[in-house]
Amino acid sequence: MLSTVTLLACGDVGPIHEPVDVYSELASPVLAGADIRFAQVERVYSDRGALQLHSNGAHSRLKPHMASVFTDCGFNIVSLASNHAMDWGEAALLDTVELFRSQGIQVVGAGRNLREARTPAIIERNGVKTAFLGYCAILQTGYAAGPDHAGIAPMRAHTYYEAFDYQAGVPPQVVTVPYKEDLAGMIEDIRAAKTVADAVVVSLHWGIHYIPRMIADYQTTVARAAFEGGADLILGHHAHTPKAIGVDQGKVCFYSLSNFIMSSTAKSPEKALAFEKRYGVELDADYPHLAYGADAKRSLIAKAVLARNGVQRVCFLPVLIDKHLRPEVLRGGDARFEEAVRFMEWVSEGFDHRFTVDGDEVIVTDSSGR
């Protein structure tokens, strides 16, 4: 019989409110059933560092003990490639890397230099080797790792504005193109990882936050290049709302897994109004500390069954974050489960996919069912 490994992958984790031990109560029994558990780290955990002048991330450094949320969930692999990872400079980032490693959690996407940030983590279970790589497209100046300085593995994009109409004042069309050097580096990393692992999973902190359905041009370009380079699965996050699931060349890209365990500062009425106007979304008054839009409470867990010959099966588990900011894995037959599937169908319009409900899971294939 072919040996297999089960991966459960979650989106952004980094609550800023205590106590943190309650957040995992509903989801940890489900996570415990996996061989590998992945999450995206949204904060840094350190007592050191200085807030960077061009950062808006005063909330992004937390006391080290608050990282216990990751061990509570049993995560054994995380990506630190986020837009906030360097908000407090190199010292805070490297403290966070070492903290996770001291807890037996492998780290990708960040390091003391670019080589380390681009080095895969390889986890072997049941004779199956899975390589993980992590990159970030949302980087402030100076956040990317370099040959001789710490930082994040970059997968950046240029933004251009093209005239959409000959009439003055018509909004332009926004065009985004990945940095050639970052794309080439990612492909090189994937190909190298493929020579030593049975499956390669790429984590990407990317895209456009808060706004449902909106996918930037560069994301589909990067996804296709990653799959052509040998990646077997893409795990996206950053948007704070679920986004499309698409199948390309028989491989699945989760464009945004949304929040998993997150909290934020509550917005004043003035800031809430400005936020809603800017992004065209409404905030949910029942979730003052999840102030990313009404869809921020929607989430999902990506599930993949891996074997020596690659990915055998991909599905997702619909998740709803409750008013205590605890992710609850929904069950088939629950009206909330059915509504979550409808939402994922809506955000995935225009991407090749077929969703098939199988008990408590939603199987993802291409439109032909393969």
Side-chain angles (χ1 to χ4, degrees):
M1 180 181 292
L2 190 67
S3 295
T4 60
V5 169
T6 299
L7 163 69
L8 291 180
C10 305
D12 294 332
V13 176
I16 64 174
H17 297 92
E18 298 190 75
V20 297
D21 59 344
V22 301
Y23 294 122
S24 61
E25 290 175 341
L26 303 181
S28 57
V30 175
L31 294 172
D35 300 294
I36 304 173
R37 291 167 291 275
F38 168 91
Q40 168 66 28
V41 181
E42 189 71 357
R43 319 289 187 188
V44 292
Y45 297 88
S46 175
D47 293 312
R48 298 196 299 158
L51 184 63
Q52 305 302 291
L53 292 177
H54 57 311
S55 166
N56 62 352
H59 60 286
S60 57
R61 184 185 66 174
L62 300 176
K63 293 293 184 181
H65 74 269
M66 293 185 70
S68 61
V69 66
F70 292 90
T71 52
D72 290 344
C73 291
F75 292 121
N76 42 29
I77 172 74
V78 297
S79 172
L80 284 179
S82 88
N83 52 308
H84 291 301
M86 284 285 285
D87 283 352
W88 291 82
E90 294 186 14
L93 172 66
L94 296 179
D95 283 352
T96 306
V97 172
E98 291 307 312
L99 175 62
F100 281 113
R101 288 176 176 166
S102 72
Q103 296 173 338
I105 300 173
Q106 296 201 53
V107 172
V108 294
R112 292 170 295 177
N113 50 51
L114 183 59
R115 178 190 59 81
E116 186 174 293
R118 287 173 49 186
T119 298
I122 298 178
I123 297 180
E124 183 173 356
R125 297 283 190 275
N126 301 333
V128 179
K129 293 182 179 179
T130 306
F132 290 83
L133 291 159
Y135 305 89
C136 183
I138 319 295
L139 293 176
Q140 300 274 18
T141 301
Y143 282 23
D148 302 309
H149 65 85
I152 306 307
M155 186 57 261
R156 297 161 290 191
H158 299 283
T159 302
Y160 303 99
Y161 302 93
E162 293 184 352
F164 180 72
D165 201 331
Y166 67 92
Q167 299 177 82
V170 174
Q173 181 172 331
V174 180
V175 178
T176 55
V177 180
Y179 281 31
K180 289 183 179 179
E181 62 270 31
D182 291 355
L183 189 63
M186 183 193 71
I187 294 169
E188 178 185 335
D189 298 343
I190 292 170
R191 288 174 175 166
K194 196 69 172 180
T195 65
V196 295
D198 302 306
V200 177
V201 178
V202 177
S203 170
L204 285 161
H205 205 65
W206 61 351
I208 301 166
H209 57 188
Y210 313 137
I211 304 173
R213 302 222 301 179
M214 186 176 287
I215 303 292
D217 296 338
Y218 80 90
Q219 293 180 265
T220 55
T221 302
V222 170
R224 172 151 292 188
F227 289 142
E228 289 176 349
D232 296 287
L233 180 68
I234 292 175
L235 306 173
H237 24 77
H238 167 67
H240 298 297
T241 182
K243 295 213 179 185
I245 300 173
V247 181
D248 190 339
Q249 304 163 67
K251 301 173 183 180
V252 179
C253 175
F254 291 90
Y255 279 93
S256 173
L257 295 171
S258 189
N259 305 294
F260 188 63
I261 298 176
M262 283 290 293
S263 71
S264 63
T265 54
K267 288 180 169 58
S268 67
E270 295 78 12
K271 288 187 176 180
L273 184 62
F275 178 91
E276 291 177 334
K277 183 176 180 180
R278 180 175 185 179
Y279 294 105
V281 300
E282 294 184 359
L283 294 173
D284 190 331
D286 290 334
Y287 290 79
H289 289 136
L290 199 63
Y292 306 118
D295 292 322
K297 60 182 174 291
R298 302 179 185 272
S299 186
L300 59 151
I301 299 174
K303 180 177 180 180
V305 178
L306 314 171
R308 291 289 300 274
N309 58 351
V311 177
Q312 300 296 297
R313 183 176 188 264
V314 177
C315 62
F316 69 90
L317 311 179
V319 172
L320 186 65
I321 299 170
D322 73 8
K323 294 178 184 179
H324 302 289
L325 305 186
R326 301 175 302 176
E328 177 188 358
V329 181
L330 303 177
R331 303 295 183 181
D334 185 331
R336 299 173 301 164
F337 179 102
E338 296 168 359
E339 200 279 330
V341 175
R342 287 194 296 271
F343 181 85
M344 291 310 302
E345 288 280 11
W346 177 68
V347 298
S348 300
E349 286 179 5
F351 290 84
D352 188 23
H353 74 281
R354 176 180 291 178
F355 298 156
T356 305
V357 175
D358 182 11
D360 298 330
E361 302 176 349
V362 184
I363 301 171
V364 181
T365 61
D366 65 20
S367 55
S368 68
R370 293 180 298 183

